[in-house]
Amino acid sequence: MLGDGDIVLRPIKMRDQRAWREVNRRNRDWLRPWEATIPPPTPSGPIAHRPTYRQMVRHLRSEANAGRMLPFVIEYQGRLVGQLTVAGITWGSMCSGHIGYWVDEAVAGRGVMPTAVALVVDHCFRTVGLHRIEVCIRPENGPSRRVVEKLGFREEGLRPRYLHIDGAWRDHLVFALTAEEVPEGLLGRWQRARSQQTPHSKPQNTQGNPA
């Protein structure tokens, strides 16, 4: 479990199903433009279906047990408000992974998602032993881009037609950090930057990529 004040990240569980479904249902319109979808099957390929909640959790647990994924739910003031997953974990000479996330519109603008990302990046670098973390975001997703910009991720370029999102193959911008870039920890850097914001700064929407 990872936490900072009202914000907690913990492993996703089967018993989260009711709360997860309620938040996801209420945010359908908010999440749809950024949510991964299943592409049409090829003539020789299998027909894929969107997994049920239980299938999703079983898959996440299996990947976590294999060391390829870190699946979390995000809690704010004791209530489930989103999901964050470190996926595509690769060891050997690469030691990297990428982050996907989404958050309840009701808590957007309160620093929940930047804090959650900072917590998990510090965990990946300091505890898990990864060297590089990526976040891939659609260019049109301004709120999610602001999350990584606030945290100081580097923009590395465009991956054309990278993921199937909202019914089509979409371009994504790549943002990244390596462990050497945040020797003091990303959470500490984010907290210092946040404390320097003026009292009249308008909070930003922190919606991010769905996991």
Side-chain angles (χ1 to χ4, degrees):
M1 183 179 294
L2 311 173
D4 180 59
D6 289 337
I7 301 164
V8 171
L9 277 74
R10 61 166 177 78
I12 191 169
K13 301 175 182 178
M14 284 293 184
R15 66 171 178 263
D16 293 321
Q17 180 172 352
R18 179 176 294 182
W20 187 94
R21 284 185 178 278
E22 189 278 327
V23 176
N24 202 266
R25 176 196 57 77
R26 183 162 39 78
N27 284 273
R28 279 291 79 215
D29 292 340
W30 164 257
L31 297 174
R32 186 174 294 111
W34 323 116
E35 190 167 45
T37 46
I38 297 173
T42 61
S44 59
I47 298 175
H49 299 281
R50 187 177 178 85
T52 65
Y53 177 85
R54 298 183 70 83
Q55 288 171 336
M56 177 189 72
V57 173
R58 282 196 293 267
H59 171 71
L60 293 175
R61 284 181 174 176
S62 174
E63 290 295 287
N65 290 336
R68 293 188 291 263
M69 191 175 285
L70 297 171
F72 297 98
V73 293
I74 305 167
E75 292 184 344
Y76 178 65
Q77 297 180 344
R79 182 170 64 87
L80 192 153
V81 296
Q83 189 173 350
L84 186 154
T85 302
V86 185
I89 294 175
T90 304
W91 297 101
S93 57
M94 184 170 281
C95 293
S96 74
H98 60 262
I99 294 175
Y101 50 80
W102 61 265
V103 71
D104 189 345
E105 184 179 13
V107 302
R110 303 184 191 181
V112 174
M113 191 52 72
T115 301
V117 172
L119 281 165
V120 87
V121 167
D122 284 351
H123 178 67
C124 286
F125 287 164
R126 295 177 167 182
T127 303
V128 179
L130 296 183
H131 173 253
R132 172 186 167 91
I133 292 292
E134 285 188 2
V135 184
C136 296
I137 302 170
R138 287 186 61 184
E140 303 89 345
N141 193 347
S144 193
R145 290 175 63 177
R146 285 193 288 274
V147 171
V148 294
E149 288 163 1
K150 289 175 182 178
L151 295 174
F153 277 73
R154 283 177 291 102
E155 182 177 335
E156 293 191 330
L158 184 73
R159 289 181 178 168
R161 298 172 294 283
Y162 177 64
L163 285 175
H164 201 270
I165 302 284
D166 194 28
W169 293 102
R170 311 288 186 177
D171 297 348
H172 279 64
L173 290 169
V174 182
F175 297 85
L177 271 181
T178 60
E180 292 89 348
E181 293 173 274
V182 283
E184 77 281 18
L186 188 56
L187 181 64
R189 189 167 80 179
W190 160 238
Q191 288 172 333
R192 286 191 296 275
R194 198 175 185 192
S195 68
Q196 292 167 5
Q197 293 176 358
T198 65
H200 302 295
S201 294
K202 184 178 179 181
Q204 298 294 323
N205 180 321
T206 58
Q207 180 191 359
N209 300 328

